[in-house]
Amino acid sequence: MRTGPRSASDLPSRLAVRLVFVVLGGTQGGWMARIPAIRDAVGLDTAEWGVLSTASAFGDVIALVLVTVLIGRVGNRLLSLAAATLVLANAPLLAGASTVPALVAGLALWGLSATFLATPVNALAVAVERDAGRPLMAGFHASYSCGVLAGGALGTLAAATGTTPGAQLAWSSGVLGTLLVILAPRLPKDHPGGRPKSERRSLRHRFTPHLLVLAGVAFLGSFVEGAASQWSSVYTADQLGEGAALGATTYTCFSVAILAGRLFGDRLPDRRTALRVCLLTLLTGVIVTLAHPSLPFALTGFVLIGLGISCVLPAVIVLAGRQSDVPAGEAVSVVSIGQWPGFLLAGPAVGVLANATSLRVALGMLGVAAVGALVLSGRVRVPVD
């Protein structure tokens, strides 16, 4: 365990990495809060928006390929700064889109830049946590959640005052960009030009059995988070017949529970124990949600699901990034590859099953995913520094 003075000396690095997480969350929350205005500016209806919004997935795929190839060759610090700059530059362009081609390009570039940023910044977070000698990863992800909430609040305020989405995102990107320039020198340093060639692992050897297990847990956890994010409000509003306002309340409770879990998630120092506790809490939440079709059960259940899912990915990233046989950035890239399809498939999978049966039955898939992740977590080992 590090001493107090060393922990204090690590503070600028922690703040710099937290800022990059805020950049990612703040821009995402900012433009997503203005989707109705962006959609209307382009002249789309809800169905057309749903189709065009999938353009971000193309950027995601390109980003996963690029980051998998570059992560061992270019330093995590340089990759993080390049991706964060692209995120900040693209946000006002996406928000200010007024034509379909501009919107599609902005969404694809958003998917590319945001997904590209996630791997190196998590690798930097692993490095800062290792240097500090105490758990910090959940707190870094809490910074992302705070950014999403702050961006959403700013978007709400901007909409209320008649500020255009483009102007709103230009202002927030300018502020965040200025802070990034100030704190960029404090980001953890790594090998100049990336890791020496002799220390890199080939793509084939990067996918070790243990990292594949962690990637599987990340996939299942992301599936649950994606499904709960998209369907929690619908379940309360439509399945339970409680209306849109209480549906939105359910989603808000779920989101706040994720933030609360991340704010306190670093208090469990054993990451494998933290992972299993989170997965058990998640499974309990699914059981409570589906035990009885009523508002109290739904609210309580989605709060437990939020608390449970909050620290699954942070724990998986730390367990992956601290393996002795694969460099942190390369290991985190394996987890990212496993995580991304979970978010992509969650919404459609639940929707298809809900159409065939009911949404209550379809949400049982979250319980199946939680059980699967618990089984895989039994094969997770704690890295020895």
Side-chain angles (χ1 to χ4, degrees):
M1 184 69 66
R2 303 292 185 194
T3 60
R6 175 57 190 271
S7 296
S9 68
D10 290 333
L11 180 60
S13 291
R14 297 203 300 272
L15 289 176
V17 175
R18 286 183 187 277
L19 174 62
V20 180
F21 276 97
V22 170
V23 165
L24 183 57
T27 50
Q28 179 177 340
W31 78 262
M32 290 186 73
R34 303 305 305 274
I35 283 177
I38 298 171
R39 181 194 62 196
D40 292 344
V42 180
L44 302 175
D45 59 28
T46 301
E48 291 170 332
W49 171 266
V51 172
L52 291 179
S53 64
T54 60
S56 62
F58 293 100
D60 292 338
V61 172
I62 295 171
L64 286 173
V65 173
L66 287 176
V67 79
T68 300
V69 173
L70 294 177
I71 195 68
R73 294 169 170 77
V74 182
N76 296 317
R77 181 184 189 185
L78 180 58
L79 287 179
S80 295
L81 288 173
T85 301
L86 188 57
V87 164
L88 291 173
N90 179 61
L93 298 178
L94 169 59
S98 58
T99 64
V100 169
L103 176 64
V104 171
L107 287 169
L109 193 55
W110 166 258
L112 188 152
S113 57
T115 301
F116 196 94
L117 178 57
T119 295
V121 73
N122 274 297
L124 290 179
V126 170
V128 172
E129 179 175 295
R130 185 191 296 271
D131 288 343
R134 60 189 179 89
L136 294 171
M137 183 62 74
F140 287 126
H141 282 245
S143 298
Y144 165 79
S145 297
C146 287
V148 172
L149 292 174
L154 180 61
T156 301
L157 178 62
T161 58
T163 303
T164 64
Q168 169 206 328
L169 269 297
W171 182 86
S172 62
S173 289
V175 172
L176 291 172
T178 301
L179 293 174
L180 187 62
V181 169
I182 295 172
L183 289 177
R186 300 294 187 175
L187 289 170
K189 294 180 174 62
D190 42 25
H191 293 273
R195 300 187 66 84
K197 187 174 181 179
S198 60
E199 295 183 23
R200 298 178 199 155
R201 308 252 326 193
S202 67
L203 292 180
R204 180 169 59 87
H205 291 98
R206 189 183 302 181
F207 293 85
T208 65
H210 188 238
L211 286 178
L212 289 176
V213 168
L214 291 170
V217 175
F219 169 83
L220 294 169
S222 296
F223 184 94
V224 172
E225 184 174 354
S229 297
Q230 295 182 52
W231 292 102
S232 56
S233 60
V234 178
Y235 177 73
T236 298
D238 296 347
Q239 184 75 36
L240 302 183
E242 297 289 350
L246 288 175
T249 300
T250 303
Y251 172 74
T252 300
C253 289
F254 168 73
S255 301
V256 171
I258 290 179
L259 175 58
R262 289 174 175 171
L263 288 173
F264 295 96
D266 289 324
R267 297 191 178 188
L268 286 175
D270 185 334
R271 293 299 186 179
R272 182 168 56 183
T273 299
L275 178 61
R276 293 184 68 82
V277 168
C278 285
L279 291 172
L280 286 169
T281 304
L282 166 59
L283 180 58
T284 301
V286 176
I287 293 172
V288 170
T289 300
L290 303 180
H292 189 269
S294 66
L295 181 62
F297 277 77
L299 290 174
T300 303
F302 278 108
V303 165
L304 289 173
I305 292 172
L307 289 173
I309 202 62
S310 64
C311 294
V312 170
L313 186 60
V316 168
I317 288 172
V318 171
L319 290 165
R322 299 185 70 171
Q323 297 301 304
S324 60
D325 53 348
V326 181
E330 296 177 15
V332 173
S333 73
V334 175
V335 171
S336 297
I337 291 172
Q339 172 199 4
W340 176 74
F343 281 108
L344 182 67
L345 296 174
V350 172
V352 168
L353 185 57
N355 285 334
T357 56
S358 69
L359 183 54
R360 188 181 178 199
V361 171
L363 289 178
M365 297 174 70
L366 279 65
V368 175
V371 171
L374 271 170
V375 172
L376 287 177
S377 70
R379 301 178 59 186
V380 170
R381 67 176 185 269
V382 178
V384 178
D385 293 328

